[in-house]
Amino acid sequence: MLFSTIEELARYVIYSIILVAGWMVISSMILPSVRKGRTYGRFKGVQREDSSKTHRKSRLIIHLERTIRVALNIRSEQALYTFFLISGVLAFFSLLFCIRSSQTVLTSILTCSIAAGAPYLILLIKLRAIHVNSSYEADTLVTELISQYKLNYLNMVEAIDQTIIRLPRNLYTRKALFRLSLDIKECRNQTELEDIVKEFAFSVGTEWAILLSNNIYQAIAYRDDVREGLEDILNELIALKTVNETNKQNNSETFLIIKYVAPIAYVLSVYGLIHYLGFSTKKFISYQFYDPQGLQYFVYTLVCISGNFIIYYFIRRPKNDF
């Protein structure tokens, strides 16, 4: 029974991989043709409609596009379509598995929701890691940008380019600045520029990044002198270091409890079933993964433990933010 269940799961995984791989191959041949059509349309005056293109998109689509672009550092429409395909395939095969294993409606809905949301959750975790790491690069980024802004006679576009060259290659903020620089050179009006600097702030995910983006926008759109604003951001970041060190020491014990209590509790419950309630290891495995109620209990337990680790991951290292 157990092996048949594992075999069925493996088969669904293989089907999912084949579908996603097939889509990636086919889309790589189709999408370039679509882009060529769009490029040809520019010469017929169609391009003027693209200026309002961002505003016709829903907030969800804009959020997903930004999340994929920042988390995976990909500038491609194919990535969004692939994301929806992977989510749909995971939900579909999860539903098939629940039907074959005679799960309840509630368990089936919960399992399909978890499977469909897994790609988005992975993106959020990746995005969170980027935000946290980027936030601790603030001093380096802002200090270098201020220096280049002054050296290049208050030319913010040139200051950004020179800052990219001088920042260490492994910094996340360097990648964000690089995307910002490319988009600024392609933008045609202040509305597009506003969307571009908003995406830069989103890629860092902090209040100081929003302030920095506002200063960049003012410097490029209106040629304002933003040296004072940049200096204020740097001074606030320097004062923030002491506060973060204090909070880190106070929260260390709480993080240990969140990290270890739930997994240890589950392991102890399994130990108690086997050694005190007469369950054999074979009987426990069969009940846990094949019996509908046992599998339901395992899904709920997995959700709780996963939620516990997600909470720990998100709060164990706070952002370097105001």
Side-chain angles (χ1 to χ4, degrees):
M1 293 182 179
L2 177 60
F3 291 107
S4 63
T5 303
I6 295 175
E7 181 183 355
E8 189 172 356
L9 279 173
R11 186 163 58 248
Y12 290 154
V13 171
I14 293 173
Y15 289 159
S16 302
I17 293 174
I18 291 174
L19 283 174
V20 173
W23 156 253
M24 295 182 71
V25 172
I26 294 173
S27 62
S28 64
M29 296 184 291
I30 295 176
L31 291 180
S33 300
V34 175
R35 294 191 189 99
K36 288 181 180 178
R38 291 177 180 175
T39 303
Y40 180 73
R42 294 177 184 176
F43 296 98
K44 293 187 174 183
V46 181
Q47 182 62 20
R48 63 178 176 270
E49 298 180 2
D50 291 344
S51 61
S52 60
K53 187 177 180 180
T54 302
H55 302 283
R56 294 199 302 265
K57 296 179 181 179
S58 67
R59 291 184 178 181
L60 175 62
I61 296 299
I62 294 174
H63 170 73
L64 288 175
E65 287 179 341
R66 286 178 175 174
T67 302
I68 293 172
R69 188 176 182 187
V70 174
L72 304 180
N73 199 28
I74 294 176
R75 302 181 66 184
S76 171
E77 295 179 4
Q78 179 184 356
L80 181 62
Y81 303 143
T82 303
F83 168 80
F84 283 126
L85 177 66
I86 292 174
S87 299
V89 167
L90 289 175
F92 176 72
F93 283 123
S94 297
L95 179 61
L96 287 182
F97 176 75
C98 290
I99 293 174
R100 292 289 297 273
S101 59
S102 302
Q103 296 300 309
T104 64
V105 175
L106 180 61
T107 303
S108 299
I109 294 175
L110 179 61
T111 303
C112 293
S113 300
I114 293 172
Y120 179 66
L121 181 60
I122 293 172
L123 285 178
L124 285 184
I125 293 174
K126 175 67 174 176
L127 182 65
R128 170 68 181 184
I130 291 174
H131 284 173
V132 172
N133 292 326
S134 298
S135 69
Y136 287 91
E137 300 168 1
D139 293 352
T140 304
L141 169 65
V142 177
T143 301
E144 188 62 44
L145 184 62
I146 292 173
S147 299
Q148 295 304 320
Y149 183 62
K150 294 176 180 178
L151 289 173
N152 288 277
Y153 306 101
L154 310 185
N155 185 332
M156 181 58 75
V157 176
E158 185 63 25
I160 291 173
D161 290 341
Q162 294 300 318
T163 300
I164 293 171
I165 295 174
R166 287 164 175 79
L167 288 177
R169 300 182 66 88
N170 62 331
L171 294 187
Y172 290 100
T173 48
R174 184 180 185 274
K175 298 176 183 178
L177 268 188
F178 185 74
R179 291 192 299 267
L180 176 67
S181 177
L182 291 177
D183 291 339
I184 286 175
K185 292 177 175 60
E186 295 176 358
C187 78
R188 292 154 295 185
N189 52 59
Q190 291 187 2
T191 301
E192 290 186 2
L193 178 61
E194 185 177 355
D195 291 334
I196 289 168
V197 296
K198 282 182 179 179
E199 181 171 313
F200 172 76
F202 175 82
S203 66
V204 181
T206 58
E207 290 297 326
W208 63 259
I210 295 176
L211 295 177
L212 181 60
S213 298
N214 291 337
N215 279 273
I216 291 174
Y217 177 79
Q218 295 293 327
I220 297 175
Y222 303 110
R223 307 295 180 183
D224 291 346
D225 183 352
V226 296
R227 284 177 294 182
E228 185 176 349
L230 296 177
E231 294 285 356
D232 288 341
I233 295 174
L234 183 60
N235 291 334
E236 290 289 340
L237 290 171
I238 293 174
L240 192 62
K241 286 184 177 180
T242 305
V243 177
N244 285 339
E245 288 298 325
T246 303
N247 291 335
K248 184 178 179 181
Q249 294 175 1
N250 294 336
N251 293 330
S252 58
E253 294 181 358
T254 303
F255 294 157
L256 289 176
I257 294 174
I258 295 175
K259 184 177 181 180
Y260 294 111
V261 167
I264 291 176
Y266 177 73
V267 171
L268 290 177
S269 67
V270 174
Y271 178 83
L273 285 173
I274 294 175
H275 289 274
Y276 296 105
L277 299 181
F279 266 61
S280 65
T281 304
K282 182 178 180 181
K283 181 180 179 181
F284 170 77
I285 294 176
S286 177
Y287 173 78
Q288 187 80 94
F289 295 101
Y290 190 79
D291 184 84
Q293 291 183 348
L295 184 59
Q296 180 179 348
Y297 170 78
F298 177 75
V299 170
Y300 292 157
T301 303
L302 184 63
V303 170
C304 292
I305 294 177
S306 300
N308 180 77
F309 273 98
I310 290 171
I311 293 173
Y312 165 74
Y313 181 84
F314 274 84
I315 68 175
R316 67 186 175 91
R317 189 187 184 196
K319 292 181 184 178
N320 182 42
D321 200 10
F322 304 148

